[in-house]
Amino acid sequence: MRTVLGSFTLGLMGAAFSSGIASAETGGCVNGEAQALIVSDVSGRLGVLGPSQSTATQTVIDLINKDGGLLGCKVKLTIKDEQLDPAVAVRELKKAIATNKPNVVFGPTLSSSMLSMAKITNAQGIPLFSGEGGDAQFVMDAREPGNYMAISTLYQDGRAAAKYLVESGKCKRYGFLYPDIVAGRDIVSAFRGQLAESQPDAQIVVDQPYNLQNKDFGAIIQAISSKSPDCVFGNLLGPDLGSVYKIWNQRKLDILTMFYPDTATLKAVGNGNLPANTYGVMRANVKTMAATPVGREFTEAYKAANNGAAPDEWAYAAASAVQMWASMVKAAGSFDYNALDTAAKKGGLTFDSVYGDGVEIMPNHQANAWSNVGPVVDDSELGHPYWSSDSKAMWTKDVIPQPLYEAILSGKTSTRWTSAQ
């Protein structure tokens, strides 16, 4: 597992080893073993996200251990199921801390679980690295020293999607369809904010949230189509999106849709049955990820451990979180919560990730990752959709301009868009 660290990092590492950093008191591991915990939707209630995330996390940790571990320590992963319930996520986290306090926590799947868990991990002095849950509050408005984001946020994804559609010239009348949870509301708010900046004469003709536990997509889609939007955006994914696509096909709707198509979507709707005019936004592009140096290594290891199954978008995103953590531990020469934060604040840190070599770790503890936006292609050989060649990879700094970024970090504005902004 290669890591770009630079002379500053190597100096830190040398100092750490010479001062006996391996003791628990100085941020090392106990009995030669560092404890890692992932809290995720392992039961797969939202499709492949949780299973892909936990499997990818284990795969990268196995690669780390194969290369000798971290700071002379092997890494042991414990996996807990959040069951798409923030209360369960918090309960499992507390139980794990009481049993064997981890050096790091990964996950979870839901942004609301991530925000709830972060209150506990920060109070306990445990860094939390997210490779799935992507609410921007985690590293922007409500950031804490122990919060790390290895992927794009919902705020970035929403802005990237809006920029792409505005530049395409395909949309004047917009509709929204999204689950009525933190993730759904925030990504649509981000989209609205970018739309107000880039296409002020755009019309929002329908805004349709839905309850995850009580959904009648037939009636919902009828309500949307009756308003005749040009484009419909939201963060549907997995089986829910598969159900929507089936109805879209049945009714022969030609409205452009932009959601989060993934492996579970393809399984739900059936190979070769993605509707026409299907677009997507995602935090990873499987074609690109599999071709990066670290991505190739991860892909081969993942396939070897999973009967030849290729990693999907969620697996690549989750892998980046572990790679980010490992690089920061090496940079700090310690597993310690405060040591990692100190290393990050000094700036200049990069790491090799499935996203590519030399990914920057920004001042808010977020990797400068990209959102991939564009037309979606149905590839049964891969087992999941991917983006066509005219899609765009939009980096965080491309989507969140420096003045806006600085304003959010200074508290002068917020990632939560309102009509007053």
Side-chain angles (χ1 to χ4, degrees):
M1 191 71 59
R2 302 178 305 128
T3 308
V4 176
L5 298 173
S7 58
F8 159 69
T9 297
L10 294 176
L12 275 175
M13 289 172 67
F17 282 120
S18 64
S19 61
I21 198 71
S23 68
E25 291 78 10
T26 52
C29 61
V30 177
N31 297 324
E33 192 172 77
Q35 302 298 322
L37 169 71
I38 182 168
V39 181
S40 182
D41 175 32
V42 182
S43 52
R45 295 190 178 191
L46 201 58
V48 297
L49 275 77
S52 292
Q53 181 185 23
S54 57
T55 302
T57 301
Q58 184 66 68
T59 298
V60 180
I61 286 176
D62 288 343
L63 285 170
I64 290 171
N65 288 334
K66 183 179 178 182
D67 288 344
L70 291 174
L71 307 186
C73 308
K74 294 292 185 180
V75 182
K76 180 182 178 181
L77 178 66
T78 299
I79 301 173
K80 296 294 183 181
D81 189 1
E82 71 165 328
Q83 301 176 35
L84 285 185
D85 186 336
V88 173
V90 167
R91 184 174 70 240
E92 291 295 338
L93 174 63
K94 288 181 176 179
K95 285 167 56 179
I97 291 173
T99 302
N100 192 7
K101 186 176 178 179
N103 297 90
V104 64
V105 175
F106 299 108
T109 307
L110 284 183
S111 293
S112 49
S113 294
M114 178 185 68
L115 295 171
S116 297
M117 286 170 54
K119 296 177 182 178
I120 298 167
T121 53
N122 279 291
Q124 290 286 328
I126 305 169
L128 171 57
F129 283 75
S130 178
E132 294 294 338
D135 194 280
Q137 312 312 307
F138 183 67
V139 285
M140 297 297 257
D141 305 87
R143 67 195 180 281
E144 294 288 345
N147 295 1
Y148 298 88
M149 178 74 69
I151 54 175
S152 63
T153 63
L154 293 164
Y155 183 64
Q156 178 181 336
D157 289 345
R159 289 179 65 87
K163 283 189 70 173
Y164 182 92
L165 290 178
V166 169
E167 291 170 5
S168 75
K170 296 177 181 292
C171 313
K172 292 184 178 179
R173 295 167 57 84
Y174 291 85
F176 299 121
L177 172 58
Y178 55 96
D180 192 16
I181 56 176
V182 169
R185 293 189 294 270
D186 279 4
I187 196 170
V188 168
S189 293
F191 188 103
R192 282 178 176 268
Q194 182 64 53
L195 200 62
E197 296 173 26
S198 303
Q199 192 179 359
D201 61 343
Q203 299 178 48
I204 308 299
V205 297
V206 59
D207 186 305
Q208 184 66 62
Y210 72 90
N211 189 308
L212 279 174
Q213 312 304 324
N214 182 22
K215 48 208 173 190
D216 180 354
F217 286 124
I220 289 171
I221 292 171
Q222 177 59 39
I224 292 172
S225 62
S226 68
K227 300 295 183 179
S228 302
D230 303 317
C231 303
V232 177
F233 170 76
N235 70 326
L236 271 75
L237 47 83
D240 279 2
L241 181 50
S243 298
V244 166
Y245 280 162
K246 283 181 179 178
I247 298 171
W248 224 260
N249 282 331
Q250 291 167 359
R251 300 189 181 182
K252 299 180 180 180
L253 299 176
D254 194 31
I255 303 167
L256 185 154
T257 62
M258 180 174 282
F259 300 117
Y260 275 83
D262 61 9
T263 303
T265 300
L266 201 61
K267 288 181 178 178
V269 73
N271 287 355
N273 291 320
L274 290 183
N277 234 349
T278 299
Y279 287 67
V281 57
M282 180 59 77
R283 295 166 185 154
N285 181 317
V286 293
K287 291 284 191 179
T288 303
M289 296 294 202
T292 64
V294 173
R296 285 196 300 271
E297 180 186 28
F298 168 71
T299 301
E300 292 170 4
Y302 189 98
K303 286 182 175 179
N306 294 281
N307 299 315
D312 60 17
E313 298 88 343
W314 305 109
Y316 284 111
S320 189
V322 187
Q323 291 155 357
M324 183 178 181
W325 169 69
S327 73
M328 292 200 64
V329 167
K330 292 178 181 179
S334 173
F335 293 96
D336 180 70
Y337 173 94
N338 292 312
L340 266 61
D341 180 51
T342 298
K345 284 179 178 176
K346 288 188 176 181
L349 289 183
T350 63
F351 69 108
D352 287 355
S353 160
V354 291
Y355 280 84
D357 290 352
V359 175
E360 177 188 0
I361 299 174
M362 299 189 298
N364 65 329
H365 293 187
Q366 182 186 356
N368 185 28
W370 42 258
S371 299
N372 208 82
V373 189
V376 179
V377 176
D378 185 342
D379 190 326
S380 56
E381 181 179 342
L382 282 175
H384 46 77
Y386 70 94
W387 282 258
S388 70
S389 58
D390 55 344
S391 64
K392 290 187 177 180
M394 298 189 182
W395 294 89
T396 304
K397 288 187 174 181
D398 295 334
V399 179
I400 307 176
Q402 193 65 24
L404 175 58
Y405 184 77
E406 291 175 351
I408 294 169
L409 291 181
S410 66
K412 295 179 181 178
T413 188
S414 170
T415 57
R416 291 179 182 265
W417 184 88
T418 68
S419 58
Q421 286 183 278

